[in-house]
Amino acid sequence: MISAWRSYVLYVWVGVFLALGSLTGCTESASDTIIKSRLDRPSSPVASESPVVLEGWVLSTGAVPHIEVSVDGTLRLTTPLNIQRPDVLTAFPEFKNVQAAGFKVVLDNEKIGLQDIHKLKVEAVTVHGARHTIGETTVIASRYQRKL
């Protein structure tokens, strides 16, 4: 009798936990996905001695608190989606509730050590940790280019 009672209480608590999780957005959802994204700049490998500028946008059915920029597989910085992109929202009107879909990142070559050829990767990360590659590009430091 006691064992059946414990099973019932456990069953009720699990049900309450699952219900609260789905109400507060604490559960992974198939709809929490990146729908559209683009790395606008640079659009191709870039030779640069000056800072490298990365610009783009992300549209998602779930919250995307930030994007991450990796250099040669090592995370270098994170930045929020904090630029309004009316051009993107006009092209995709189904995302009318999105406040800011754009980002701009300026990477200082000297500060992060871009002295050779490096692979940059930009990823969007949802609140649930789902990752989506927005784009990748190659940076060739001008000093290295002169040596070739």
Side-chain angles (χ1 to χ4, degrees), residues 89 93-100:
L89 298 179
E94 62 271 25
F95 291 94
K96 62 184 174 204
N97 294 327
V98 173
Q99 296 298 316

Side-chain angles (χ1 to χ4, degrees), residues 2-137:
I2 293 176
S3 144
W5 174 250
R6 284 184 182 166
S7 295
Y8 175 74
V9 170
L10 179 62
Y11 176 76
V12 169
W13 275 109
V14 168
V16 168
F17 177 75
L18 290 175
L20 287 176
S22 64
L23 290 174
T24 60
C26 294
T27 59
E28 184 78 25
S29 168
S31 66
D32 185 25
T33 57
I34 307 298
I35 302 298
K36 303 279 184 189
S37 69
R38 181 174 172 162
L39 182 61
D40 292 330
R41 179 177 171 196
S43 58
S44 62
V46 60
S48 177
E49 199 168 277
S50 61
V52 176
V53 178
L54 302 171
E55 290 181 296
W57 52 268
V58 176
L59 293 174
S60 174
T61 56
V64 178
H66 67 273
I67 60 141
E68 295 181 351
V69 178
S70 299
V71 178
D72 297 328
T74 301
L75 177 64
R76 293 298 186 147
L77 63 90
T78 63
T79 190
L81 295 173
N82 58 4
I83 298 175
Q84 293 186 1
R85 292 287 306 260
D87 59 323
V88 174
L89 298 179
T90 299
F92 302 101
E94 62 271 25
F95 291 94
K96 62 184 174 204
N97 294 327
V98 173
Q99 296 298 316
F103 63 88
K104 180 177 182 177
V105 176
V106 179
L107 297 174
D108 182 346
N109 294 3
E110 296 299 321
K111 201 177 266 189
I112 63 172
L114 293 181
Q115 298 175 359
D116 296 320
I117 299 174
H118 298 279
K119 186 75 154 180
L120 302 182
K121 182 176 185 179
V122 181
E123 292 183 295
V125 182
T126 69
V127 292
H128 298 295
R131 306 179 80 72
H132 172 79
T133 300
I134 299 168
E136 296 179 324
T137 192

